[in-house]
PDB file of all heavy atoms in Angstrom:
ATOM      1  N   MET X 223      -0.724  -6.902  11.845  1.00 79.00           N
ATOM      2  CA  MET X 223      -0.059  -6.358  10.662  1.00 79.00           C
ATOM      3  C   MET X 223      -1.102  -5.779   9.717  1.00 79.00           C
ATOM      4  O   MET X 223      -2.183  -6.372   9.530  1.00 79.00           O
ATOM      5  CB  MET X 223       0.750  -7.468   9.972  1.00 79.00           C
ATOM      6  CG  MET X 223       1.475  -6.965   8.734  1.00 79.00           C
ATOM      7  SD  MET X 223       2.566  -8.236   8.095  1.00 79.00           S
ATOM      8  CE  MET X 223       3.772  -7.200   7.337  1.00 79.00           C
ATOM      9  N   LYS X 224      -0.780  -4.694   9.089  1.00 89.00           N
ATOM     10  CA  LYS X 224      -1.649  -4.033   8.125  1.00 89.00           C
ATOM     11  C   LYS X 224      -1.772  -4.866   6.826  1.00 89.00           C
ATOM     12  O   LYS X 224      -0.798  -5.446   6.366  1.00 89.00           O
ATOM     13  CB  LYS X 224      -1.060  -2.669   7.771  1.00 89.00           C
ATOM     14  CG  LYS X 224      -1.807  -1.918   6.720  1.00 89.00           C
ATOM     15  CD  LYS X 224      -1.069  -0.645   6.343  1.00 89.00           C
ATOM     16  CE  LYS X 224      -1.709  -0.100   5.094  1.00 89.00           C
ATOM     17  NZ  LYS X 224      -0.839   0.498   4.167  1.00 89.00           N
ATOM     18  N   HIS X 225      -2.987  -4.911   6.284  1.00 95.00           N
ATOM     19  CA  HIS X 225      -3.188  -5.566   5.002  1.00 95.00           C
ATOM     20  C   HIS X 225      -2.646  -4.691   3.860  1.00 95.00           C
ATOM     21  O   HIS X 225      -2.848  -3.467   3.897  1.00 95.00           O
ATOM     22  CB  HIS X 225      -4.648  -5.880   4.772  1.00 95.00           C
ATOM     23  CG  HIS X 225      -5.136  -6.999   5.616  1.00 95.00           C
ATOM     24  ND1 HIS X 225      -5.765  -6.830   6.816  1.00 95.00           N
ATOM     25  CD2 HIS X 225      -5.022  -8.340   5.438  1.00 95.00           C
ATOM     26  CE1 HIS X 225      -6.047  -8.006   7.344  1.00 95.00           C
ATOM     27  NE2 HIS X 225      -5.608  -8.933   6.514  1.00 95.00           N
ATOM     28  N   ILE X 226      -2.036  -5.294   2.895  1.00 97.00           N
ATOM     29  CA  ILE X 226      -1.497  -4.594   1.746  1.00 97.00           C
ATOM     30  C   ILE X 226      -2.567  -4.656   0.640  1.00 97.00           C
ATOM     31  O   ILE X 226      -3.067  -5.729   0.296  1.00 97.00           O
ATOM     32  CB  ILE X 226      -0.198  -5.270   1.257  1.00 97.00           C
ATOM     33  CG1 ILE X 226       0.877  -5.122   2.316  1.00 97.00           C
ATOM     34  CG2 ILE X 226       0.248  -4.685  -0.089  1.00 97.00           C
ATOM     35  CD1 ILE X 226       2.100  -5.954   2.079  1.00 97.00           C
ATOM     36  N   GLN X 227      -2.893  -3.480   0.107  1.00 98.00           N
ATOM     37  CA  GLN X 227      -3.881  -3.383  -0.968  1.00 98.00           C
ATOM     38  C   GLN X 227      -3.098  -3.428  -2.304  1.00 98.00           C
ATOM     39  O   GLN X 227      -2.244  -2.575  -2.539  1.00 98.00           O
ATOM     40  CB  GLN X 227      -4.665  -2.073  -0.886  1.00 98.00           C
ATOM     41  CG  GLN X 227      -5.444  -1.929   0.414  1.00 98.00           C
ATOM     42  CD  GLN X 227      -6.546  -2.963   0.535  1.00 98.00           C
ATOM     43  OE1 GLN X 227      -7.255  -3.283  -0.429  1.00 98.00           O
ATOM     44  NE2 GLN X 227      -6.695  -3.513   1.714  1.00 98.00           N
ATOM     45  N   ALA X 228      -3.411  -4.420  -3.123  1.00 98.00           N
ATOM     46  CA  ALA X 228      -2.645  -4.655  -4.353  1.00 98.00           C
ATOM     47  C   ALA X 228      -3.530  -4.563  -5.582  1.00 98.00           C
ATOM     48  O   ALA X 228      -4.675  -4.994  -5.581  1.00 98.00           O
ATOM     49  CB  ALA X 228      -1.981  -6.030  -4.302  1.00 98.00           C
ATOM     50  N   VAL X 229      -2.929  -4.039  -6.652  1.00 98.00           N
ATOM     51  CA  VAL X 229      -3.538  -4.027  -7.980  1.00 98.00           C
ATOM     52  C   VAL X 229      -2.640  -4.864  -8.876  1.00 98.00           C
ATOM     53  O   VAL X 229      -1.418  -4.705  -8.856  1.00 98.00           O
ATOM     54  CB  VAL X 229      -3.664  -2.582  -8.534  1.00 98.00           C
ATOM     55  CG1 VAL X 229      -4.020  -2.590 -10.017  1.00 98.00           C
ATOM     56  CG2 VAL X 229      -4.701  -1.805  -7.737  1.00 98.00           C
ATOM     57  N   ILE X 230      -3.267  -5.735  -9.654  1.00 98.00           N
ATOM     58  CA  ILE X 230      -2.521  -6.512 -10.639  1.00 98.00           C
ATOM     59  C   ILE X 230      -2.918  -5.981 -12.009  1.00 98.00           C
ATOM     60  O   ILE X 230      -4.079  -6.103 -12.421  1.00 98.00           O
ATOM     61  CB  ILE X 230      -2.819  -8.021 -10.552  1.00 98.00           C
ATOM     62  CG1 ILE X 230      -2.409  -8.552  -9.173  1.00 98.00           C
ATOM     63  CG2 ILE X 230      -2.088  -8.765 -11.673  1.00 98.00           C
ATOM     64  CD1 ILE X 230      -2.787 -10.008  -8.953  1.00 98.00           C
ATOM     65  N   MET X 231      -1.969  -5.383 -12.702  1.00 97.00           N
ATOM     66  CA  MET X 231      -2.194  -4.886 -14.049  1.00 97.00           C
ATOM     67  C   MET X 231      -1.758  -5.946 -15.026  1.00 97.00           C
ATOM     68  O   MET X 231      -0.625  -6.399 -14.978  1.00 97.00           O
ATOM     69  CB  MET X 231      -1.467  -3.567 -14.252  1.00 97.00           C
ATOM     70  CG  MET X 231      -1.875  -2.517 -13.214  1.00 97.00           C
ATOM     71  SD  MET X 231      -1.184  -0.905 -13.490  1.00 97.00           S
ATOM     72  CE  MET X 231      -2.365  -0.283 -14.651  1.00 97.00           C
ATOM     73  N   GLY X 232      -2.681  -6.356 -15.885  1.00 97.00           N
ATOM     74  CA  GLY X 232      -2.424  -7.497 -16.784  1.00 97.00           C
ATOM     75  C   GLY X 232      -2.878  -8.797 -16.168  1.00 97.00           C
ATOM     76  O   GLY X 232      -2.269  -9.850 -16.400  1.00 97.00           O
ATOM     77  N   ALA X 233      -3.939  -8.747 -15.396  1.00 97.00           N
ATOM     78  CA  ALA X 233      -4.399  -9.958 -14.676  1.00 97.00           C
ATOM     79  C   ALA X 233      -4.970 -11.042 -15.568  1.00 97.00           C
ATOM     80  O   ALA X 233      -5.078 -12.176 -15.155  1.00 97.00           O
ATOM     81  CB  ALA X 233      -5.458  -9.538 -13.632  1.00 97.00           C
ATOM     82  N   SER X 234      -5.299 -10.715 -16.803  1.00 96.00           N
ATOM     83  CA  SER X 234      -5.878 -11.709 -17.702  1.00 96.00           C
ATOM     84  C   SER X 234      -4.827 -12.534 -18.454  1.00 96.00           C
ATOM     85  O   SER X 234      -5.159 -13.448 -19.203  1.00 96.00           O
ATOM     86  CB  SER X 234      -6.828 -11.069 -18.713  1.00 96.00           C
ATOM     87  OG  SER X 234      -6.128 -10.217 -19.582  1.00 96.00           O
ATOM     88  N   GLY X 235      -3.559 -12.237 -18.209  1.00 95.00           N
ATOM     89  CA  GLY X 235      -2.479 -13.001 -18.816  1.00 95.00           C
ATOM     90  C   GLY X 235      -1.957 -14.071 -17.852  1.00 95.00           C
ATOM     91  O   GLY X 235      -2.313 -14.105 -16.682  1.00 95.00           O
ATOM     92  N   TYR X 236      -1.083 -14.911 -18.381  1.00 95.00           N
ATOM     93  CA  TYR X 236      -0.536 -16.023 -17.578  1.00 95.00           C
ATOM     94  C   TYR X 236       0.172 -15.518 -16.319  1.00 95.00           C
ATOM     95  O   TYR X 236      -0.085 -15.996 -15.204  1.00 95.00           O
ATOM     96  CB  TYR X 236       0.408 -16.865 -18.416  1.00 95.00           C
ATOM     97  CG  TYR X 236       1.105 -17.942 -17.624  1.00 95.00           C
ATOM     98  CD1 TYR X 236       0.402 -19.104 -17.288  1.00 95.00           C
ATOM     99  CD2 TYR X 236       2.397 -17.775 -17.159  1.00 95.00           C
ATOM    100  CE1 TYR X 236       1.011 -20.095 -16.529  1.00 95.00           C
ATOM    101  CE2 TYR X 236       3.030 -18.754 -16.401  1.00 95.00           C
ATOM    102  CZ  TYR X 236       2.307 -19.903 -16.093  1.00 95.00           C
ATOM    103  OH  TYR X 236       2.920 -20.890 -15.324  1.00 95.00           O
ATOM    104  N   THR X 237       1.057 -14.546 -16.453  1.00 96.00           N
ATOM    105  CA  THR X 237       1.809 -14.061 -15.312  1.00 96.00           C
ATOM    106  C   THR X 237       0.906 -13.443 -14.278  1.00 96.00           C
ATOM    107  O   THR X 237       1.041 -13.687 -13.074  1.00 96.00           O
ATOM    108  CB  THR X 237       2.858 -13.010 -15.753  1.00 96.00           C
ATOM    109  OG1 THR X 237       3.737 -13.622 -16.719  1.00 96.00           O
ATOM    110  CG2 THR X 237       3.685 -12.486 -14.593  1.00 96.00           C
ATOM    111  N   GLY X 238      -0.074 -12.639 -14.688  1.00 97.00           N
ATOM    112  CA  GLY X 238      -1.016 -12.032 -13.794  1.00 97.00           C
ATOM    113  C   GLY X 238      -1.844 -13.042 -13.051  1.00 97.00           C
ATOM    114  O   GLY X 238      -2.067 -12.924 -11.833  1.00 97.00           O
ATOM    115  N   ALA X 239      -2.289 -14.073 -13.747  1.00 97.00           N
ATOM    116  CA  ALA X 239      -3.102 -15.096 -13.105  1.00 97.00           C
ATOM    117  C   ALA X 239      -2.278 -15.908 -12.100  1.00 97.00           C
ATOM    118  O   ALA X 239      -2.772 -16.238 -11.008  1.00 97.00           O
ATOM    119  CB  ALA X 239      -3.689 -16.022 -14.155  1.00 97.00           C
ATOM    120  N   GLU X 240      -1.057 -16.220 -12.442  1.00 97.00           N
ATOM    121  CA  GLU X 240      -0.185 -16.970 -11.482  1.00 97.00           C
ATOM    122  C   GLU X 240       0.125 -16.129 -10.269  1.00 97.00           C
ATOM    123  O   GLU X 240       0.112 -16.628  -9.135  1.00 97.00           O
ATOM    124  CB  GLU X 240       1.105 -17.412 -12.175  1.00 97.00           C
ATOM    125  CG  GLU X 240       0.952 -18.694 -12.967  1.00 97.00           C
ATOM    126  CD  GLU X 240       0.512 -19.843 -12.084  1.00 97.00           C
ATOM    127  OE1 GLU X 240       1.262 -20.276 -11.181  1.00 97.00           O
ATOM    128  OE2 GLU X 240      -0.628 -20.350 -12.299  1.00 97.00           O
ATOM    129  N   LEU X 241       0.400 -14.831 -10.476  1.00 98.00           N
ATOM    130  CA  LEU X 241       0.647 -13.949  -9.342  1.00 98.00           C
ATOM    131  C   LEU X 241      -0.582 -13.865  -8.463  1.00 98.00           C
ATOM    132  O   LEU X 241      -0.481 -13.963  -7.226  1.00 98.00           O
ATOM    133  CB  LEU X 241       1.023 -12.553  -9.828  1.00 98.00           C
ATOM    134  CG  LEU X 241       1.168 -11.504  -8.722  1.00 98.00           C
ATOM    135  CD1 LEU X 241       2.298 -11.849  -7.771  1.00 98.00           C
ATOM    136  CD2 LEU X 241       1.365 -10.127  -9.330  1.00 98.00           C
ATOM    137  N   LEU X 242      -1.758 -13.728  -9.057  1.00 98.00           N
ATOM    138  CA  LEU X 242      -2.978 -13.664  -8.275  1.00 98.00           C
ATOM    139  C   LEU X 242      -3.179 -14.948  -7.450  1.00 98.00           C
ATOM    140  O   LEU X 242      -3.524 -14.891  -6.279  1.00 98.00           O
ATOM    141  CB  LEU X 242      -4.200 -13.458  -9.189  1.00 98.00           C
ATOM    142  CG  LEU X 242      -5.563 -13.454  -8.494  1.00 98.00           C
ATOM    143  CD1 LEU X 242      -5.653 -12.353  -7.474  1.00 98.00           C
ATOM    144  CD2 LEU X 242      -6.660 -13.322  -9.543  1.00 98.00           C
ATOM    145  N   ARG X 243      -2.904 -16.092  -8.063  1.00 97.00           N
ATOM    146  CA  ARG X 243      -3.033 -17.364  -7.337  1.00 97.00           C
ATOM    147  C   ARG X 243      -2.146 -17.347  -6.087  1.00 97.00           C
ATOM    148  O   ARG X 243      -2.559 -17.773  -4.995  1.00 97.00           O
ATOM    149  CB  ARG X 243      -2.617 -18.520  -8.256  1.00 97.00           C
ATOM    150  CG  ARG X 243      -2.766 -19.894  -7.626  1.00 97.00           C
ATOM    151  CD  ARG X 243      -2.311 -20.990  -8.565  1.00 97.00           C
ATOM    152  NE  ARG X 243      -0.889 -20.913  -8.895  1.00 97.00           N
ATOM    153  CZ  ARG X 243       0.106 -21.296  -8.075  1.00 97.00           C
ATOM    154  NH1 ARG X 243      -0.167 -21.802  -6.893  1.00 97.00           N
ATOM    155  NH2 ARG X 243       1.382 -21.186  -8.459  1.00 97.00           N
ATOM    156  N   LEU X 244      -0.941 -16.851  -6.225  1.00 97.00           N
ATOM    157  CA  LEU X 244      -0.024 -16.768  -5.071  1.00 97.00           C
ATOM    158  C   LEU X 244      -0.471 -15.744  -4.041  1.00 97.00           C
ATOM    159  O   LEU X 244      -0.435 -16.000  -2.826  1.00 97.00           O
ATOM    160  CB  LEU X 244       1.397 -16.445  -5.568  1.00 97.00           C
ATOM    161  CG  LEU X 244       2.069 -17.507  -6.428  1.00 97.00           C
ATOM    162  CD1 LEU X 244       3.339 -16.970  -7.037  1.00 97.00           C
ATOM    163  CD2 LEU X 244       2.327 -18.775  -5.622  1.00 97.00           C
ATOM    164  N   LEU X 245      -0.907 -14.578  -4.515  1.00 98.00           N
ATOM    165  CA  LEU X 245      -1.315 -13.524  -3.580  1.00 98.00           C
ATOM    166  C   LEU X 245      -2.580 -13.899  -2.810  1.00 98.00           C
ATOM    167  O   LEU X 245      -2.763 -13.475  -1.665  1.00 98.00           O
ATOM    168  CB  LEU X 245      -1.539 -12.210  -4.330  1.00 98.00           C
ATOM    169  CG  LEU X 245      -0.276 -11.541  -4.888  1.00 98.00           C
ATOM    170  CD1 LEU X 245      -0.658 -10.262  -5.635  1.00 98.00           C
ATOM    171  CD2 LEU X 245       0.736 -11.265  -3.800  1.00 98.00           C
ATOM    172  N   LEU X 246      -3.471 -14.673  -3.427  1.00 97.00           N
ATOM    173  CA  LEU X 246      -4.714 -15.085  -2.713  1.00 97.00           C
ATOM    174  C   LEU X 246      -4.409 -15.956  -1.509  1.00 97.00           C
ATOM    175  O   LEU X 246      -5.207 -16.012  -0.562  1.00 97.00           O
ATOM    176  CB  LEU X 246      -5.657 -15.797  -3.676  1.00 97.00           C
ATOM    177  CG  LEU X 246      -6.347 -14.892  -4.699  1.00 97.00           C
ATOM    178  CD1 LEU X 246      -7.103 -15.746  -5.714  1.00 97.00           C
ATOM    179  CD2 LEU X 246      -7.263 -13.894  -4.015  1.00 97.00           C
ATOM    180  N   ALA X 247      -3.244 -16.596  -1.489  1.00 96.00           N
ATOM    181  CA  ALA X 247      -2.861 -17.423  -0.350  1.00 96.00           C
ATOM    182  C   ALA X 247      -2.126 -16.632   0.714  1.00 96.00           C
ATOM    183  O   ALA X 247      -1.846 -17.151   1.787  1.00 96.00           O
ATOM    184  CB  ALA X 247      -1.968 -18.573  -0.844  1.00 96.00           C
ATOM    185  N   HIS X 248      -1.848 -15.366   0.435  1.00 97.00           N
ATOM    186  CA  HIS X 248      -1.100 -14.528   1.386  1.00 97.00           C
ATOM    187  C   HIS X 248      -2.092 -13.906   2.376  1.00 97.00           C
ATOM    188  O   HIS X 248      -3.038 -13.255   1.974  1.00 97.00           O
ATOM    189  CB  HIS X 248      -0.347 -13.437   0.648  1.00 97.00           C
ATOM    190  CG  HIS X 248       0.717 -12.814   1.488  1.00 97.00           C
ATOM    191  ND1 HIS X 248       0.416 -12.002   2.578  1.00 97.00           N
ATOM    192  CD2 HIS X 248       2.051 -12.879   1.445  1.00 97.00           C
ATOM    193  CE1 HIS X 248       1.530 -11.585   3.147  1.00 97.00           C
ATOM    194  NE2 HIS X 248       2.547 -12.103   2.462  1.00 97.00           N
ATOM    195  N   PRO X 249      -1.865 -14.088   3.658  1.00 96.00           N
ATOM    196  CA  PRO X 249      -2.856 -13.594   4.634  1.00 96.00           C
ATOM    197  C   PRO X 249      -2.929 -12.067   4.798  1.00 96.00           C
ATOM    198  O   PRO X 249      -3.910 -11.555   5.349  1.00 96.00           O
ATOM    199  CB  PRO X 249      -2.369 -14.236   5.969  1.00 96.00           C
ATOM    200  CG  PRO X 249      -0.906 -14.468   5.761  1.00 96.00           C
ATOM    201  CD  PRO X 249      -0.738 -14.775   4.298  1.00 96.00           C
ATOM    202  N   TYR X 250      -1.930 -11.331   4.276  1.00 97.00           N
ATOM    203  CA  TYR X 250      -1.915  -9.891   4.470  1.00 97.00           C
ATOM    204  C   TYR X 250      -2.088  -9.113   3.181  1.00 97.00           C
ATOM    205  O   TYR X 250      -1.855  -7.902   3.152  1.00 97.00           O
ATOM    206  CB  TYR X 250      -0.642  -9.451   5.184  1.00 97.00           C
ATOM    207  CG  TYR X 250      -0.569 -10.019   6.592  1.00 97.00           C
ATOM    208  CD1 TYR X 250       0.374 -10.993   6.901  1.00 97.00           C
ATOM    209  CD2 TYR X 250      -1.460  -9.622   7.561  1.00 97.00           C
ATOM    210  CE1 TYR X 250       0.436 -11.551   8.160  1.00 97.00           C
ATOM    211  CE2 TYR X 250      -1.415 -10.161   8.833  1.00 97.00           C
ATOM    212  CZ  TYR X 250      -0.474 -11.125   9.123  1.00 97.00           C
ATOM    213  OH  TYR X 250      -0.425 -11.668  10.374  1.00 97.00           O
TER     214      TYR X 250
END
């Protein structure tokens, strides 16, 4: 499966940080 390239806009806020935590566990 192809890896998805993602940008998180607003990564220094609570929502951005929580999303990043979840995405870092995603293998793709």
Side-chain angles (χ1 to χ4, degrees):
M223 179 172 208
K224 175 187 170 217
H225 286 96
I226 296 169
Q227 299 295 319
V229 168
I230 299 175
M231 303 186 85
S234 66
Y236 175 78
T237 302
E240 278 299 296
L241 174 64
L242 177 61
R243 183 183 64 77
L244 294 170
L245 291 178
L246 287 172
H248 196 290
Y250 296 111

